[in-house]
Amino acid sequence: MRLFKNTWFNRFAQKEGITDGELREAVNQLEAGQVDADLGGDVYKVRVSRSGEGKSGGYRVIVLFKSEKRTFFVYGFAKSDKENIDRGELRGFKKRSKNAFSMTMADFKVGAISEKQMREYDKMCLVKEPETTHGAKKSSKVEYAAASH
């Protein structure tokens, strides 16, 4: 499973203190079929807890997800700031999902897609999986390889 964050979402997560471990947990829940909201078109809304408030008062994260393929974190908001996404936003996420899952992994390598495509796909950042040693995770720290144009 390859995990990606677009630039906007990466800034949002850093500002709000959402850790990569919390995002990996959200993916694990999706893989296990524990879905908060299936919005159709491989677009899901998942709840991520806010420190001291739990999931119900926390964040809502829009995820483009295909089991055993790729996961794209594309948008998030605090439940206290916004009730839900609107229909226009949902249409946009579904279109982005269709485009993202039609791309090959070679398309995501640094410099492999054009500047225009990079803008179109929100300059996605690859989240690398931690290296493993004999089946155990070596580190939970995530490294980023920002695609350049």
Side-chain angles (χ1 to χ4, degrees), residues 35-118:
V35 176
D36 290 320
D38 181 346
L39 305 177
D42 300 315
V43 178
Y44 296 84
K45 182 171 62 174
V46 296
R47 298 186 308 170
V48 175
S49 63
R50 179 180 268 183
S51 182
E53 293 188 38
K55 285 186 177 183
S56 63
Y59 303 101
R60 303 305 180 257
V61 175
I62 302 300
V63 181
L64 314 180
F65 171 79
K66 260 196 187 181
S67 183
E68 300 179 18
K69 296 248 182 207
R70 297 177 209 122
T71 300
F72 300 89
F73 291 92
V74 295
Y75 186 68
F77 56 94
K79 180 71 172 165
S80 60
D81 294 341
K82 183 174 182 170
E83 185 65 28
N84 208 345
I85 60 172
D86 63 37
R87 289 181 183 171
E89 289 171 316
L90 179 57
R91 278 192 303 274
F93 292 133
K94 286 181 178 182
K95 182 177 180 181
R96 188 179 300 170
S97 178
K98 183 178 178 182
N99 290 334
F101 289 118
S102 70
M103 296 176 73
T104 67
M105 284 313 296
D107 294 327
F108 289 98
K109 290 184 180 175
V110 175
I113 59 180
S114 72
E115 183 176 348
K116 180 180 174 189
Q117 287 171 313
M118 288 306 295

